[in-house]
Amino acid sequence: MDYSYLKQKKILLVDDEKEILDMVSDFLRKDGYTQVRTAGTMREAVTVAKEWDPDFAILDVMLPDGDGFSLLEQLRIFTKIPVLFLTARGEDEDKIHGLGLGADDYMVKPFLDQELLLRVGIILRRYYKEENPLVQLAGSQIDFSRAEVVKNGEHFSLTAKEYEILQGLYRNAGRIVTIDQLCEAAWGENPYGYENSLMAHIRRIREKIEANPSRPVSLITVKGLGYKLMLEG
């Protein structure tokens, strides 16, 4: 499954040690997370959270103007974002306290950067299921949340197979998706022998998304290789 959409989630890091903030920010960005902001105090963290509306927070327990437990309680007044504690305080009572306040995980310093990335990914996947935006094509829109296509004010429902095929194409928008890959997306681990059925589904999809199905501009055939979905904008 493609989880690249999670890399756009806004992550707030709160720690009183600048070295930790710089280090964690650096390897989050290297892993593909594009929106990371930091705070060194409770007061700064609350201000950033209210103004920036992050999707996830990584909190230290020991802060110069309070502690991470109190910070989490303040955050919970106006946001329900997932929270991971990253702290040098590893006592059992601290872990129980943090988790009891509603934190999603609790890691103790020192830590392995790959383990932190793994835990961040697990939490984000749990909270943020794959998003279903309104996908703009040349002459229509795909609404994955409703499993339908909107064209010239009309709504066309997608069948389950059409939906899976379009999802496979959308996750690789602008790139060639092979026939085998699309068959696997629609029919599972044993996709062989479905090529003719795939072609029939592609034809019906084009009738729904294309202004002129016989001259497609959104769902392109790449001869001998597969298909490609072209987005607008």
Side-chain angles (χ1 to χ4, degrees):
M1 178 143 328
D2 182 10
Y3 293 108
S4 58
Y5 68 97
L6 293 175
K7 302 297 185 178
Q8 307 302 316
K9 296 301 178 186
K10 296 186 285 187
I11 300 178
L12 172 61
L13 306 178
V14 185
D15 200 295
D16 63 338
E17 295 184 56
K18 187 176 184 303
E19 297 80 7
I20 295 291
L21 291 177
D22 290 344
M23 179 181 68
V24 176
S25 297
D26 185 55
F27 64 71
L28 281 171
R29 290 190 173 100
K30 285 181 178 177
D31 197 55
Y33 292 97
T34 59
Q35 301 192 73
V36 181
R37 288 185 63 175
T38 63
T41 65
M42 277 183 58
R43 182 175 180 180
E44 184 183 5
V46 171
T47 299
V48 172
K50 286 181 176 178
E51 293 177 352
W52 192 49
D53 191 24
D55 301 299
F56 180 58
I58 299 175
L59 310 180
D60 189 11
V61 171
M62 295 180 287
L63 297 169
D65 56 344
D67 61 64
F69 302 138
S70 299
L71 173 57
L72 177 55
E73 290 178 321
Q74 287 193 39
L75 293 176
R76 282 289 176 259
I77 295 172
F78 60 89
T79 181
K80 299 298 184 184
I81 60 171
V83 168
L84 181 149
F85 277 113
L86 182 65
T87 176
R89 287 172 55 168
E91 292 81 2
D92 288 343
E93 52 267 33
D94 286 328
K95 293 182 182 179
I96 292 169
H97 188 194
L99 295 172
L101 289 171
D104 297 88
D105 206 345
Y106 194 108
M107 286 187 68
V108 178
K109 302 173 185 175
F111 57 90
L112 297 174
D113 56 355
Q114 288 301 319
E115 182 184 0
L116 178 58
L117 289 173
L118 180 64
R119 294 197 190 196
V120 168
I122 289 171
I123 294 169
L124 288 175
R125 289 196 297 274
R126 186 164 67 236
Y127 267 78
Y128 301 105
K129 304 301 183 185
E130 185 163 6
E131 295 170 342
N132 294 301
L134 200 62
V135 178
Q136 185 66 53
L137 305 178
S140 63
Q141 294 174 319
I142 306 169
D143 187 344
F144 282 114
S145 66
R146 298 177 181 273
E148 66 180 22
V149 171
V150 183
K151 183 172 66 175
N152 298 327
E154 292 188 73
H155 294 248
F156 302 90
S157 296
L158 294 168
T159 67
K161 297 301 183 193
E162 291 168 354
Y163 181 94
E164 295 297 338
I165 291 166
L166 277 172
Q167 277 278 6
L169 288 161
Y170 172 64
R171 285 194 291 266
N172 297 277
R175 300 194 297 268
I176 297 170
V177 185
T178 68
I179 292 171
D180 285 347
Q181 288 172 323
L182 287 175
C183 287
E184 185 173 349
W187 288 280
E189 295 180 359
N190 237 338
Y192 302 107
Y194 288 101
E195 291 87 350
N196 290 337
S197 185
L198 174 66
M199 290 174 62
H201 281 85
I202 292 290
R203 185 171 61 252
R204 286 194 289 271
I205 289 171
R206 282 178 172 152
E207 289 171 355
K208 294 176 181 180
I209 69 172
E210 301 283 1
N212 184 351
S214 62
R215 293 187 178 181
V217 296
S218 296
L219 179 45
I220 307 298
T221 300
V222 183
K223 195 170 182 180
L225 294 175
Y227 299 91
K228 188 163 55 171
L229 186 69
M230 306 303 295
L231 308 185
E232 287 287 293

